[in-house]
Each structure stands twice: as structure tokens, then as C-alpha cells.
Amino acid sequence: MHTDTERCVRAVQSKDARFDGWFFTAVRTTGIYCRPSCPAVPPKPENMTFFPSAAACQQAGYRACKRCRPDTSPGSPEWNARADAVARAMRLIRDGVVDREGVPGLAARLGYSTRQIERQLRAELGAGPLALARAQRAQTARLLIETTPLPMADIAFASGFSSIRTFNDTVREVFALTPGELRTRAARRSPGAAPGQTPGVITLRLPYRTPLTPGNLFGHLAATAVPGVEEWRDGAYRRTLTLPYGHGIVALAPQPGHIACRLSLTDHRDLTIAISRCRWMLDLDADPAAVDDRLRADPALAPLVDKEPGRRVPRTVDAAEFAVRAVLGQQVSTAAARTHAGRLVAAHGQPVDDPEGGLTHLFPPPRRLAALDPESLALPRSRRTTLTTLVAALADGTLSLDPGSDWGHARHQLAALPGFGPWTVDVIAMRALGDPDAFLPTDLGIRRAAAELGLPSTPAALTARAAAWRPWRAYAVQYLWAADSHPINFLPV
């Protein structure tokens, strides 16, 4: 979009927040870059330059605006809606792969050479993977500086910097303030916020593009919560997180204009990844205006969209975990699926301490489940075979469901496993892989909704009708489910 100068200028002049994260505005006369909705007086069009990423702005020598804080804008919805190499690379960078494995590790996961990845990212985003990861480290550093009382040396390494000097230089270059000045400025803005926090707990706001209907999002997560791993408590969805350097507990609560997030981590190096996975789970980088406009064009869906616009697809923080849960949920009720998953967690999950609630375990990883005795599972024999085959493939790397997975290849691999029919493959594609066009025509709730709305009720006919909803059929599923009174559609009381 950043190449359409006229459209970008109109968005900046109208301070349209819908375009935050789509592009960034660099102002030649001031040397700063802003989000489109920056509250400052818009610069003259001839002084504007548009970039596709914050990293590209930084590489061009611009510093972040202190007023609109462009690094806090929602991410571009393109990276969650596309399946090409650039989008897959962006999802992996956001998940911290470059910091942990370097550019060669990123390229290996994608099946390309480092040179090819560099070239593709520079062509589309104006910056290579190292610069994109550096911009993400700077944002993490600022969050820790402003929201925690951690010493600067600890923040430097927790943010992914290799040295304190690099940390200081980057923060000064990106924000035109030293780390100490950033903390002082934040303290003046919110007196006592950082020092007064609960020790070890990081509190922040997760922005999103409006509108957002929290009912189906948090209702779904709460209604399907696995005992010991997830819970709804005091108006917030809480769950345990398995992360690269340790584990954590997150509490997420819907608020006007943002999601309140409280994170407790055993290792602060996991902060960026934890935030990224929470945003992914809540689908906060979606573009609801584009989705709703497409679905509203169908007269059958229009009343549902108009009633509660901005429905998101409830995803997961761990794709392998969700795949296991999808198998446990085959042909049983929501309550039965929770029971099966809860037993698995109690028997094989790692215990954790939760002083603020009732979370007791991490969901067991595939390598641990691969060693379990199938006879210990209270499941039909065919379901046991399905589950053990799945966890074996995940454990040995034969099947990969990480953020950079190729959706088509993953679907093909899943469909080849015993006991994986269209419903299981598509629900994993929708909620674990994040395919925005995944569709569930055989789902009982979808078929009931279709019949009630006068849509075709047979899978083949409904799939044909749903072609007009592409590429947002996963969102159409959320609206169709809304036709029912199932608990997944409502915030818990």
C-alpha cells in the first residue's frame, strides 16, 4: 500500500487509524516517522515519504515519533492473511526465530537460501531480516524500560541484544532518547506505574483495529478452556505458556480500544514471543473493515455482521497443542473434549505455580506425549491411533505446524495421517495455522446455522455458496456460529 502515495496522503490527512500498521509516514523536514493516525498536525504532502515497515524507516535514518509511538501500532494484517514466503518469514521473525537461530535458521525453516530471503524481504519491506528483528528488539526494550523496574543491563539481554552498548545505541537511534530518558518520560506520563507493579509481572496494552466483538473471541477460549492450563477469572482469560526460554502465565481482558495484558515470565527474553503469540491467539492484527465488507455483501450474513461487527478467529498460542486438542475433540461435545484434555494435562503436563489463580500445568509437548502408553488413554482404539501417530510426527519433526509453516503442505501432511478427516484438517488450519480462508462445511453448528439462515445445508452446496466469501471464510465461520446460543458466543459472567 505504501506505493499508493495519494491514498496514503489521504489516510494521514484524515488521521485514519484503520491504516496504522499498513504503512508508516516519514517526514523529511523533521527526520521522524509516524503512524497514519498521529495526532500532530499533518505535514505537507511534499514532505512525506511512505515506508512499508518501521525497520525501513529506521534504516533510512528516521526516528520514531514520541507522540504517536508508531512502534506500538497493530501489525500489518497482510502477514497473517498471506501464505507466501515473505508472510511466513514475518511470522517467524515475530516469533523470535532470527534472535534464536539467526538468518540461516530463518532461511532453513522456509526452505530458501539466506540470499533469497534477504532479497524478498528487502523488495517488499525495504529491510532485511536483521533490521526487522532489530526493530522488534527495540520495541521490546522500550516496553521493558517503561513497564518494569528491571535494571537496564537485564533489559538489554532480555530484549535480545548481544551487548549493552548495542542496546544503548539502538534505543538512542530509534527513539532519540537514552534508555534512562525513556524511563523518566514514562514515569512522568504515568507516575509510579513501573516501580509500583507486582514484582515479576509486566502489564501492557495490546492495540487492535476496531471494531472488535469480544464475545465470540473470549467466549470461545473460555468455553473450551482445558482445566489446569486455561481459566476465566475476574473478567480475564488466563492461561499458561510454554516458551523458548522458560514458561509464563498471561491474563488477557477486553477493554475499550485495547486488550489489557498481564504477563508473568520465568525469563524476560520470552517477552517478545509471548506478546506475539497472544496477539496471534486473539487475531489482533486482523483488518475487520476488509473482512466485514466482503461478508456483508451476502444478504444472509449481513444481519449477523451488522449486529456484532469485528468478530475475530480465536486461535492458539501453540499449534501442536491445538492439533492434539482437535483430535481429542473429534465427534464429542465441548465438555467431553475438555475432560479428555484435562486428564492428559494432569497426567503428563509440567506443574507450575500460579499464586493468582487456579492454573496448575503446562500443556504437555509432543515429545512427552510420544512416550505415553496408548492403553492409558480413555479413548476409542481408532482415536488412540490417531493421537499417537500425530504426536509422533510432531515429536520427530516429520510434521511442522510452526508460524512459518506452508499452509498447503501442512494440510497435505495432516490429511495423510490416520483419522484426519476434512473437519480436523480445517479446524487446525483455521485455529492453529491461521489460514483466514479455512472453512468447516461439515461442522454441525455450521450446518444448523446454514439451515436457519436459508443457506445450503449440504457440505458441497454450502462450499459452493461460500466461494463468494473468500478469502475470509474462517471469519464467516465465526458469524455462522453466532446464529446459535452456544456458550462460545458469549463472554462468561
Side-chain angles (χ1 to χ4, degrees):
M1 177 180 175
H2 71 287
T3 57
D4 189 341
T5 301
E6 183 178 347
R7 189 181 180 194
C8 290
V9 168
R10 288 201 304 270
V12 171
Q13 290 178 336
S14 62
K15 304 183 188 297
D16 196 333
R18 293 177 301 172
F19 294 97
D20 288 354
W22 277 100
F23 68 90
F24 295 84
T25 307
V27 186
R28 299 189 191 97
T29 52
T30 61
I32 66 170
Y33 70 93
C34 305
R35 61 169 77 194
S37 64
C38 181
V41 176
K44 295 179 180 178
E46 59 267 26
N47 293 329
M48 298 183 198
T49 301
F50 303 107
F51 290 92
S53 66
C57 295
Q58 294 167 19
Q59 280 207 316
Y62 292 93
R63 66 182 187 276
C65 175
K66 298 173 185 176
R67 191 167 180 185
C68 71
R69 298 151 66 101
D71 57 309
T72 64
S73 60
S76 171
E78 287 191 87
W79 314 135
N80 289 351
R82 287 166 40 181
D84 55 50
V86 171
R88 292 165 58 204
M90 288 301 294
R91 291 197 288 270
L92 287 170
I93 291 170
R94 191 172 53 194
D95 202 52
V97 167
V98 170
D99 290 334
R100 297 194 303 275
E101 303 174 20
V103 179
L106 173 69
R109 284 178 178 246
L110 295 170
Y112 289 87
S113 69
T114 55
R115 185 176 180 180
Q116 287 173 308
I117 291 300
E118 287 269 3
R119 184 172 65 248
Q120 291 186 56
L121 288 174
R122 287 184 182 279
E124 187 156 347
L125 289 158
L130 288 176
L132 292 162
R134 175 179 178 267
Q136 184 167 272
R137 285 195 294 272
Q139 180 182 357
T140 303
R142 196 187 63 114
L143 274 173
L144 289 172
I145 290 168
E146 295 184 345
T147 63
T148 75
L150 286 173
M152 294 300 178
D154 292 348
I155 290 176
F157 295 111
S159 304
F161 290 98
S162 57
S163 70
I164 297 174
R165 180 177 179 178
T166 305
F167 160 72
N168 287 329
D169 290 346
T170 300
V171 170
R172 190 181 297 111
E173 179 183 337
V174 173
F175 303 111
L177 294 169
T178 66
E181 289 170 339
L182 265 181
R183 178 164 282 175
T184 300
R185 183 183 177 92
R188 285 200 303 266
R189 194 166 53 241
S190 304
Q197 285 191 344
T198 304
V201 175
I202 299 169
T203 302
L204 56 145
R205 296 183 172 197
L206 304 183
Y208 57 77
R209 293 177 183 85
T210 56
L212 179 142
T213 294
N216 85 296
L217 187 58
F218 288 93
H220 202 124
L221 294 171
T224 59
V226 176
V229 175
E230 304 166 285
E231 68 173 0
W232 180 266
R233 180 182 292 267
D234 299 329
Y237 166 76
R238 304 178 73 247
R239 71 155 292 150
T240 58
L241 303 170
T242 300
L243 300 163
Y245 298 104
H247 65 266
I249 292 175
V250 66
L252 299 160
Q255 302 292 336
H258 70 277
I259 302 296
C261 174
R262 280 171 50 86
L263 274 165
S264 175
L265 303 172
T266 57
D267 192 318
H268 283 102
R269 288 178 295 176
D270 285 321
L271 177 62
T272 302
I273 299 131
I275 294 172
S276 172
R277 292 184 182 179
C278 289
R279 292 190 63 83
W280 170 261
M281 176 175 65
L282 301 181
D283 196 15
L284 298 185
D285 291 328
D287 182 0
V291 173
D292 289 352
D293 284 350
R294 172 60 63 88
L295 300 183
R296 193 180 280 114
D298 190 313
L301 293 183
L304 297 174
V305 176
D306 291 337
K307 181 181 178 182
E308 293 183 316
R311 283 182 172 260
R312 302 300 208 268
V313 177
R315 297 195 186 125
T316 178
V317 293
D318 188 320
E321 171 193 315
F322 184 81
V324 171
R325 291 171 59 174
V327 170
L328 295 176
Q330 288 178 332
Q331 300 178 355
V332 297
S333 66
T334 300
R338 293 182 65 212
T339 299
H340 287 311
R343 289 172 181 166
L344 202 66
V345 166
H348 304 281
Q350 177 185 330
V352 297
D353 180 40
D354 175 23
E356 296 185 16
L359 304 180
T360 59
H361 291 81
L362 301 175
F363 198 91
R367 64 181 180 277
R368 182 171 297 181
L369 293 177
L372 62 79
D373 178 8
E375 298 299 322
S376 66
L377 300 172
L379 298 171
R381 186 170 299 278
S382 60
R383 195 81 46 78
R384 294 181 201 169
T385 301
T386 300
L387 182 62
T388 54
T389 306
L390 169 67
V391 296
L394 290 168
D396 65 18
T398 305
L399 172 64
S400 175
L401 299 177
D402 67 30
S405 298
D406 180 285
W407 293 340
H409 182 60
R411 281 173 175 273
H412 178 75
Q413 287 184 298
L414 288 168
L417 297 176
F420 273 73
W423 182 90
T424 308
V425 171
D426 278 307
V427 78
I428 292 173
M430 180 174 71
R431 296 195 56 197
L433 298 176
D435 183 352
D437 202 37
F439 192 50
L440 307 175
T442 61
D443 182 84
L444 181 59
I446 297 299
R447 296 178 68 180
R448 286 176 177 169
E452 183 177 332
L453 296 172
L455 294 167
S457 56
T458 63
L462 184 58
T463 300
R465 172 65 179 269
W469 306 338
R470 306 189 76 168
W472 308 118
R473 292 185 301 176
Y475 294 87
V477 168
Q478 309 309 312
Y479 283 108
L480 289 171
W481 275 338
D484 196 0
S485 58
H486 195 282
I488 63 170
N489 291 310
F490 307 100
L491 280 174
V493 292

